[in-house]
């Protein structure tokens, strides 16, 4: 069941999303050759605590960290640890925030120093697919309009999308209905109404969209070991169009 949010509630989710996007400003400054993914996690945790917010992933099904940090062939849910970022890597940083009981969720993928043309293109196309999908987040459209915006853009550029994971409703909880697929699914395909709040999150692979979960029970990697990119925003469907709730004006 989709729990619609009032404009007051959407405002609260945006307060959570503002803290989240400010946290990205700190993390972007810190992403460089030699930093460990755990050090990035420590920066995010301290920042959220300082802002009186809470990490939404920490403790969720016993997930052990504030961030998911996924490097190169890692798709999502990389657990921060001793891995040091290297020049030329691409790194996905995913954050969930709870503020005054309201949840927001977003992810960016970045290059570490100079990255190859191929990797630049993968990041660019994946991010573009997120914004094309957000344009479809309007009342009267269906989830499939969002899904196909992601899918068509990525496939047109020779990439494949991950089918084993999807975006989701969000706001009162981290994961709510509806599921927001990145491909044409036979699952539920509700119409979007004002007050629907969703996390749209293209997960896009250079090679096959097939993935595996590592023995840590979390880290999702590409089956063919090729690169993957992930971008995500929390977006509200309003009477006046899509509103991105995880993008601070700064
Ligand atoms: N952004 C991811 C998601 O939407 C991260 C979840 S990590 C978890 O669903 F630990 F919270 F599961
Ligand atoms: Co999410």
């Amino acid at each position: 069941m989709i729990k619609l949010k009032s404009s007051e509630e959407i405002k609260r989710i945006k307060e959570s999303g503002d803290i989240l996007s400010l946290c990205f400003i700190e993390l972007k400054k810190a992403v460089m050759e030699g930093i460990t993914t755990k050090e990035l996690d420590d920066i995010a945790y301290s920042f959220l605590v300082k802002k009186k917010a809470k990490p939404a992933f920490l403790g969720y099904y016993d997930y052990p960290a504030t961030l998911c940090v996924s490097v190169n062939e890692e798709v999502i849910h990389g657990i921060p640890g001793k891995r040091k970022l290297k020049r030329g890597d691409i790194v996905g940083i995913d954050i969930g925030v709870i503020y005054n009981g309201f949840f927001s969720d977003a992810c960016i993928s970045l290059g570490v120093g100079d990255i190859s043309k191929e990797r630049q293109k993968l990041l660019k196309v994946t991010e573009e697919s997120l914004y094309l999908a957000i344009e479809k987040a309007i009342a009267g459209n269906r989830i499939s309009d969002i899904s196909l915006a992601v899918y068509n853009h990525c496939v047109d550029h020779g990439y494949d999308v991950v089918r084993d994971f999807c975006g989701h409703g969000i706001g009162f909880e981290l994961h709510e209905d509806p599921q927001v697929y990145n491909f044409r699914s036979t699952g539920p395909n509700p119409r979007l109404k004002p007050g629907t709040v969703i996390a749209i999150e293209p997960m896009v692979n250079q090679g096959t969209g097939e993935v595996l979960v590592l023995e840590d029970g979390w880290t999702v990697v590409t089956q063919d070991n090729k690169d993957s990119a992930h971008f995500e925003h929390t977006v509200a469907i309003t009477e006046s169009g899509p509103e991105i709730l995880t993008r601070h004006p700064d």
Side-chain angles (χ1 to χ4, degrees), residues 48-189:
L48 296 184
V49 168
K50 194 173 81 193
K51 295 288 184 187
K52 309 225 179 310
K54 282 191 291 198
F57 302 163
L58 186 64
Y60 186 82
Y61 291 98
D62 290 331
Y63 185 74
T66 295
L67 301 177
C68 299
V69 183
S70 308
V71 183
N72 300 341
E73 78 289 351
E74 296 173 352
V75 180
I76 49 168
H77 300 172
I79 301 174
K82 290 199 201 96
R83 185 173 184 164
K84 282 190 165 89
L85 297 183
K86 295 202 298 273
R87 214 173 336 146
D89 282 346
I90 50 173
V91 56
I93 304 178
D94 194 345
I95 319 179
V97 172
I98 314 171
Y99 185 65
N100 285 327
F102 288 86
F103 287 71
S104 59
D105 184 7
C107 180
I108 55 173
S109 291
L110 301 169
V112 182
D114 287 333
I115 59 173
S116 68
K117 283 265 173 323
E118 289 74 22
R119 286 180 165 171
Q120 286 175 33
K121 188 184 154 205
L122 177 65
L123 297 188
K124 178 169 176 284
V125 170
T126 305
E127 188 171 21
E128 284 168 356
S129 78
L130 171 59
Y131 285 94
L132 289 168
I134 291 171
E135 285 177 25
K136 301 292 181 185
I138 51 180
N141 273 357
R142 291 186 182 274
I143 286 294
S144 56
D145 293 298
I146 290 172
S147 308
L148 290 179
V150 170
Y151 182 82
N152 289 333
H153 188 64
C154 295
V155 168
D156 281 352
H157 284 87
Y159 301 134
D160 198 7
V161 299
V162 173
R163 290 166 176 75
D164 288 355
F165 296 88
C166 60
H168 47 93
I170 182 166
F172 302 139
E173 309 278 348
L174 178 61
H175 292 143
E176 301 177 15
D177 286 342
Q179 301 213 58
V180 185
Y181 320 97
N182 293 313
F183 61 99
R184 187 189 297 278
S185 165
T186 54
N189 185 21

Side-chain angles (χ1 to χ4, degrees), residues 27 34-46 58 64-69 71 78-85:
L27 289 166
I35 194 165
T36 68
T37 56
K38 174 74 170 87
E39 285 167 325
L40 292 175
D41 197 69
D42 291 341
I43 290 168
Y45 181 80
S46 309
L58 186 64
T66 295
L67 301 177
C68 299
V69 183
V71 183
I79 301 174
K82 290 199 201 96
R83 185 173 184 164
K84 282 190 165 89
L85 297 183

